[in-house]
């Protein structure tokens, strides 16, 4: 079983790079969630964990500590760039203290080739840097910079759902080749259903926020999804969305163990 840790950069109070009506934290979260979905659906013997699945703040130390504690086999941090509005293109990084014969470098060679293929971005090459998430991870680590958000042409691509899907698929292609993942057979592919774990539904937003605070004291992330039923506004507390029902049920049990009644909503 291979363990892949996906780290969408920034989040919460830290928007990352901004430009042309876009925020880096939103673009990279969308890409990372799509990577997780494709890997989970199409490949066998792979587990995926993410540093964040919603718009929350998370320190660099938290990200690397979680990956190290989980004993991940590969750490992948996903970003967009910004500079002066004129710079553009794709580039990726490994830790500057590593040699070109390191496992991180070998994986990166595969990732770079796959990600840069057919994405309509200038190829700025393979680079090294002393970034925290590359330095403090105890497994091979990789960071992709998927275009410059302050560049007009790159940002125009980022706004396209089809382009973000292509970037996600190319990341998956690289991960699968680097880790030698095996594709599921047609009869063994997972469905496209999404399983949302709901840890309470309230008409009072204050009560919903209290529920989120309680969950966080137990290390469980959640957010509010506002819906309207029969003309009334409800604040659902959602804690995770999974393409695998067993994973959703395991998360449900974790919530129930702390005394909260929760349920699963299935979206097809």
């Amino acid at each position: 079983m291979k363990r892949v840790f996906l780290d969408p950069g920034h989040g919460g109070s830290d928007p990352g790079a901004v430009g042309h009506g876009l925020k880096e934290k939103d673009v990279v979260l969308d890409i990372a969630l799509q990577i997780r979905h494709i890997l989970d659906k199409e490949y066998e013997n792979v587990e995926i964990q993410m540093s964040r699945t919603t718009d929350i703040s998370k320190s660099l130390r938290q990200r690397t500590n979680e990956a190290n504690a989980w004993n991940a086999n590969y750490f992948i941090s996903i970003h967009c760039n910004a500079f002066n509005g004129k710079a553009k293109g794709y580039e990726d990084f490994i830790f500057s203290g590593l040699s070109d014969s390191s496992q991180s470098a070998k994986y990166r060679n595969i990732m770079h080739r796959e990600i840069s293929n057919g994405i309509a971005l200038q190829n700025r090459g393979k680079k090294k840097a002393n970034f925290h998430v590359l330095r403090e991870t105890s497994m091979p680590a990789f960071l992709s910079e998927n275009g410059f958000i302050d560049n007009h042409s790159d940002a125009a691509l980022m706004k396209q759902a089809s382009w973000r899907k292509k970037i996600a698929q190319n990341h998956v292609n690289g991960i699968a080749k680097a880790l030698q993942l095996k594709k599921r057979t047609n009869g063994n592919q997972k469905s496209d259903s999404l399983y949302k774990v709901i840890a309470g539904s309230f008409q009072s937003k204050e009560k919903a926020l209290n529920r989120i605070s309680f969950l966080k004291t137990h290390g469980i992330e959640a957010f509010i999804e506002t819906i309207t039923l029969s003309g009334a506004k409800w604040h659902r507390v959602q804690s995770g969305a999974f393409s695998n029902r067993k994973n959703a049920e395991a998360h449900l049990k974790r919530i129930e163990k702390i005394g909260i009644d929760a349920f699963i909503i299935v979206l097809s």
Side-chain angles (χ1 to χ4, degrees):
M1 181 69 73
K2 298 294 186 181
R3 291 184 164 189
V4 177
F5 192 95
L6 299 176
D7 173 40
H10 310 283
S13 60
D14 175 15
V18 296
H20 299 283
L22 295 170
K23 295 178 182 178
E24 179 182 1
K25 66 175 184 177
D26 299 327
V27 175
V28 299
L29 179 59
D30 180 56
I31 293 169
L33 288 169
Q34 292 193 64
I35 293 171
R36 181 182 70 171
H37 178 72
I38 298 168
L39 280 173
D40 192 47
K41 179 186 175 187
E42 297 185 7
Y43 289 88
E44 297 179 345
N45 299 319
V46 59
E47 293 181 353
I48 307 101
Q49 185 165 313
M50 295 177 62
S51 60
R52 65 183 184 94
T53 58
T54 59
D55 184 21
I56 61 170
S57 298
K58 207 145 201 186
S59 71
L60 297 176
R61 185 179 297 276
Q62 283 177 305
R63 296 166 197 256
T64 52
N65 283 353
E66 287 175 8
N68 292 339
W70 191 52
N71 293 318
N73 296 108
Y74 200 16
F75 181 99
I76 297 160
S77 194
I78 303 156
H79 290 259
C80 299
N81 232 325
F83 184 53
N84 60 2
K86 296 180 180 179
K88 59 183 180 179
Y90 169 82
E91 60 192 15
D92 47 46
F93 294 84
I94 60 171
F95 175 48
S96 53
L98 295 174
S99 72
D100 291 338
S101 60
S102 65
Q103 192 66 64
S104 284
K106 291 176 182 177
Y107 283 174
R108 192 269 291 279
N109 290 341
I110 297 170
M111 295 290 288
H112 185 89
R113 182 176 66 248
E114 293 297 325
I115 296 172
S116 61
N117 180 32
I119 57 173
L121 287 179
Q122 175 184 318
N123 190 335
R124 297 171 58 88
K126 298 178 285 186
K127 302 182 178 182
K128 295 181 181 180
N130 187 26
F131 297 148
H132 176 98
V133 295
L134 301 178
R135 183 184 67 247
E136 301 301 325
T137 39
S138 58
M139 72 292 301
F142 169 87
L143 185 146
S144 62
E145 291 278 8
N146 300 279
F148 283 71
I149 205 166
D150 60 347
N151 178 274
H152 178 75
S153 58
D154 283 10
L157 291 171
M158 293 179 200
K159 291 179 180 180
Q160 299 174 20
S162 60
W163 184 85
R164 297 193 302 273
K165 184 176 181 179
K166 170 68 173 173
I167 284 285
Q169 183 63 65
N170 284 10
H171 275 74
V172 169
N173 295 344
I175 295 166
K177 289 184 179 181
L179 298 181
Q180 299 182 328
L181 300 179
K182 184 180 177 182
K183 269 214 163 188
R184 296 180 183 274
T185 59
N186 288 335
N188 194 30
Q189 279 206 355
K190 293 183 179 179
S191 72
D192 281 323
S193 294
L194 186 67
Y195 302 92
K196 291 184 175 184
V197 179
I198 308 300
S201 189
F202 307 89
Q203 286 191 286
S204 165
K205 187 174 183 179
E206 184 180 354
K207 288 183 178 179
L209 290 171
N210 289 339
R211 175 60 53 87
I212 288 173
S213 297
F214 179 74
L215 288 167
K216 284 186 176 181
T217 63
H218 290 82
I220 300 172
E221 295 292 343
F223 65 98
I224 292 175
E225 179 186 36
T226 302
I227 62 168
T228 301
L229 295 174
S230 301
K233 184 181 287 187
W234 290 83
H235 303 283
R236 277 181 179 163
V237 177
Q238 182 178 323
S239 178
F242 305 85
S243 54
N244 182 299
R245 185 172 189 109
K246 286 186 177 179
N247 291 340
E249 289 174 347
H251 192 65
L252 179 74
K253 289 179 180 178
R254 182 184 175 193
I255 293 172
E256 289 177 336
K257 280 184 179 179
I258 61 174
I260 290 176
D261 289 329
F263 58 94
I264 293 173
I265 293 176
V266 183
L267 301 178
S268 298

